[in-house]
Amino acid sequence: MAQFWVEGGTQLFGTLRVHGSKNAALPILAATLIANGPVCLLNCPRLRDVENMVSILVELGCKAQWDGDTLRVDSSSANSYTLSEPLSKELRSSIFLLGSVLGRFKKAIATYPGGCEIGNRPIDLHLKGLRRLGARIKEDGGYISCDGDDLVGTSVPLDYPSVGATENIMLLACSCIGETVIHNAAREPEIVDLQNFLIACGFRVCGAGSSTVVIEGGKSDRGCTYSIMPDRIVAGTYLTACAIAGGEITLTGAVSEHLVTVVEKLQDAGAYIRQEGSRMMIRAPHRPNELQRLETLPYPGFPTDMQPQFFALCSVASGISVLVENVFENRFRHAQELQKMGGKNSLRGTTAIVRGVPKLHGASVIAHDLRGGAALVLAALSAEGTTIIDCAERIDRGYVHLEDALKSVGAYVERKE
Ligand code: UD1
């Protein structure tokens, strides 16, 4: 178990580099299984979820080797279609492997991913999509077994633009005969990154970033060297950290087009933001303004993965803010922890009313989930006194040494094991 000890009250000044995106790396790692040649991934964040995904690939018989944030994967020796229970339970995204394992071996056996701290997270849309492509799927006693001897592309309408389901269906569609058209596809930038990776491996995919993704099934004829996109949630977290703590920081390696709604809300809160190419500069407001209404939505709407950090921001804003969480039903567990720090908020279903206070104070709090944990670190930066954040290993799932990044711009954050 890890803890973060944060001494509040220092402003942030300096430059931060944004690391590679976890949510882009995970489906791309799943895709290495169907690449016909060795793959070299640059800017690959060495996070626990990513390492778990790599361990699963190794269990399936792939070879993998890290060198800093470069990861080489050779899937030519893969020889198993069974995803072992312990690792798949750890990592919800192992579900992406269903599409690529099934495509490669015409069979796949997986464990049903467990519930999750931010909500139920069903996989019905994934299974429905895979079935439409001809997969025969049996669910029995927590196991999912899939057979796919006659995988044929077709039109796949999604009831909801699920990110994971879109990616999983894209991966299986690559190994189908003929064309697949995904309607109401998710439009997240990570899906564009997956498409670009697949194209680099010789697959024919287009439309990612819009609601219609078209995949012409066929074989990959090569591996590739590919640089993973920067993590837009890490970038958003750093910007919000500065808006809360005060000061002025510059991000390098961020893609500002991915952050339009986040930047807009930070500006509403009073921050000054300047963007030049891949550099983004933020100057914090004296005290954040309240946000009249912040509502999470699928991309290009405001990301649910930034809602907790903005909850922290609104906790010290100068008025009352309303936050509506539309994507995951149980994503307000940071609310009660912020109350321990003096935050004033009340919840009604998927709506939170947050009454800003001039100052939070240090307390002993728990990171219940990845982004909620990051939100507590951000709140602690401006709080009076010391905040101890338990279960900080959950924060490590999405940030490569968040404490070192924040320390490098002047914050007092210590990790204690
Ligand atoms: C991905 C991201 C996660 C982000 C989320 C929304 C990864 C590894 N994770 O998660 O960080 O918060 O997108 O941007 O990329 N749903 C169903 N049935 C399904 C699948 C999803 O009902 O089969 C529902 C979910 O319960 C949720 C909503 O759809 O309410 C969105 O989920 P989805 O877009 O699939 O998110 P993930 O891919 O799990």
Side-chain angles (χ1 to χ4, degrees), residues 22-23 26 92-93 96 121-126 160-165 167 188 304-305 327-328 331:
K22 163 178 88 79
N23 288 352
L26 292 170
R92 192 193 133 79
S93 308
F96 296 132
R121 301 190 89 172
I123 56 164
D124 56 318
L125 299 172
H126 296 243
Y160 181 90
S162 152
V163 178
E167 292 164 338
E188 269 68 359
T304 172
D305 283 355
V327 181
F328 292 108
R331 205 165 197 177

Side-chain angles (χ1 to χ4, degrees), residues 15-86:
T15 301
L16 285 171
R17 184 187 156 269
V18 178
H19 61 68
S21 160
K22 163 178 88 79
N23 288 352
L26 292 170
I28 287 176
L29 280 170
T32 60
L33 257 189
I34 52 172
N36 198 359
V39 166
C40 176
L41 298 176
L42 312 175
N43 202 29
C44 189
R46 200 161 180 174
L47 295 161
R48 208 178 81 209
D49 279 9
V50 173
E51 288 193 332
N52 278 336
M53 187 62 122
V54 173
S55 303
I56 297 177
L57 288 173
V58 169
E59 270 191 357
L60 296 178
C62 301
K63 295 191 181 77
Q65 200 184 4
W66 283 99
D67 178 9
D69 62 0
T70 298
L71 174 66
R72 287 186 173 75
V73 182
D74 182 352
S75 67
S76 58
S77 49
N79 54 9
S80 164
Y81 54 78
T82 305
L83 304 175
S84 80
E85 188 166 343

